[in-house]
Amino acid sequence: MLRSVFAGLAGTLAGVALGATLGLLPGAPAFAQDFPTRPITLVVPFAAGGSTDLVGRLIAQRMTQELGQTVVVENRGGAGGNLGAAAVAKATPDGYTILMGTVATHALNPALYKKMPYDPVKSFASISLLAIVPNVLVVNPEFPANTVAELIDLLKKDPDKYSYASSGNGTPLHLSGELFKSMAGVQMQHIPYQGAGPALNDVLAGQVPIMFDNLPSSAGHIKSGKLRALGVTTAKRATSFPDVPAIAETIPGYETYTWNALFAPAGTPAAAIEKLNKAANAALADPAVQAKLADFSATVVGSTPAELDAHVKAELAKWAPIVRASGAQLD
């Protein structure tokens, strides 16, 4: 970006002086044409093994090829994604630290937390909306329910007996469960974990019988029979699991999902954003990447920074009333 500014001011003493001044300002590095020249850190604000981690590692691997520098995934979970997102918001805005943002970090948490360590709009520079991902209601194979209707019957007969796991308080998976409870008129205890991976491990082990998970992280276990899928949370069935009904087929109007997008700290030079956007969208255009995302019914998007800006604002407006209706509130 600074290179184009200098070109426009070339030949004038004022332009030379301005260029020298900008070059010395802390936090405003002169952006080289050959960015990136060193590895880039992609912060995934949840534990390893969950959907966000899987998508992040898939995209990071392909972006590494596009950029010619390694994109290193760093898992930094906690506070429903707030810790990792806040770390990126406060990072040097040079393009070398970016965030795998989600509906939690940029739409749910602002409605859930009384105090946020960042602003979901002002603290970030949008890069690209990557994919929209279904959630799924799964149970341990030993659990005595094979359908959503049977689960509802069990919960109504013994409302204090059963519990469900999620990736943490206030996450999309937690709210998927709370919306289910509200719309089905049932009770079950919520057990939050520090990420979907640890929660899933306990469901697989039979420690907790029920979980709302992102479909990508449960897909392999569903196919192998280690988990039983009762329903997907999107309005229609997932293309990769056509035999698994939508929860909405039993509870009309029920719908939740998550999404993944790349963000950089606010103030990151436009030249860096442009290169990162091109690399991300090129990764999404790769047939191999598309095939892997399709395996768990993620809808590939790819967007401009402006389109992601608009998406975040729309999601904030959508989820705020849902969170209020759920009664969920975190300090």
Side-chain angles (χ1 to χ4, degrees):
M1 181 168 65
L2 294 180
R3 188 169 64 87
S4 63
V5 171
F6 294 156
L9 296 176
T12 69
L13 292 175
V16 173
L18 177 61
T21 300
L22 288 174
L24 294 173
L25 282 176
F31 223 79
Q33 182 178 355
D34 56 354
F35 169 86
T37 59
R38 55 187 171 87
I40 293 169
T41 298
L42 171 58
V43 174
V44 172
F46 299 99
S51 164
T52 303
D53 180 63
L54 293 175
V55 175
R57 292 181 185 278
L58 178 62
I59 295 300
Q61 183 179 24
R62 190 60 181 80
M63 286 181 67
T64 292
Q65 299 176 36
E66 292 294 322
L67 294 168
Q69 290 289 339
T70 304
V71 180
V72 181
V73 173
E74 177 183 320
N75 295 94
R76 192 176 297 191
N82 274 359
L83 293 184
V88 174
K90 297 172 183 176
T92 302
D94 56 9
Y96 290 97
T97 304
I98 58 178
L99 173 71
M100 177 63 78
T102 70
V103 63
T105 60
H106 281 71
L108 299 181
N109 289 356
L112 284 163
Y113 288 84
K114 294 179 180 179
K115 293 182 179 180
M116 285 286 290
Y118 58 87
D119 184 290
V121 175
K122 296 179 182 178
S123 298
F124 299 94
S126 293
I127 298 174
S128 179
L129 177 61
L130 303 175
I132 293 174
V133 183
N135 301 326
V136 63
L137 168 58
V138 294
V139 296
N140 185 280
E142 302 299 321
F143 189 72
N146 293 291
T147 66
V148 172
E150 289 179 3
L151 173 61
I152 292 172
D153 286 343
L154 282 175
L155 297 175
K156 286 185 175 180
K157 289 177 182 177
D158 201 339
D160 299 320
K161 183 176 181 179
Y162 300 105
S163 58
Y164 78 97
S166 86
S167 52
N169 284 317
T171 61
L173 305 181
H174 171 208
L175 291 176
S176 292
E178 293 304 302
L179 185 62
F180 180 90
K181 287 165 55 178
S182 174
M183 295 184 70
V186 297
Q187 291 296 322
M188 53 181 169
Q189 181 184 0
H190 172 228
I191 300 179
Y193 287 77
Q194 292 294 319
L200 192 59
N201 287 337
D202 272 7
V203 176
L204 289 166
Q207 300 298 317
V208 183
I210 307 164
M211 181 177 177
F212 286 85
D213 191 21
N214 298 129
L215 186 53
S217 55
S218 281
H221 300 301
I222 294 169
K223 292 176 180 178
S224 69
K226 294 179 180 178
L227 289 174
R228 180 186 302 135
L230 301 188
V232 294
T233 65
T234 42
K236 297 181 179 179
R237 298 189 181 199
T239 56
S240 59
F241 290 91
D243 294 333
V244 178
I247 293 174
E249 294 175 32
T250 303
I251 307 174
Y254 182 92
E255 182 183 17
T256 68
Y257 53 82
T258 190
W259 47 263
N260 299 116
L262 293 180
F263 299 89
T268 298
I273 296 296
E274 181 180 0
K275 286 196 173 184
L276 292 167
N277 174 269
K278 288 182 177 179
N281 288 340
L284 293 172
D286 185 331
V289 172
Q290 291 183 351
K292 289 182 179 179
L293 290 172
D295 282 344
F296 41 75
S297 297
T299 300
V300 176
V301 183
S303 76
T304 66
E307 288 168 340
L308 178 53
D309 285 340
H311 175 77
V312 169
K313 292 175 182 176
E315 287 287 278
L316 284 165
K318 169 189 172 180
W319 281 102
I322 295 176
V323 171
R324 286 196 298 269
S326 76
Q329 185 69 61
L330 302 173
D331 293 329

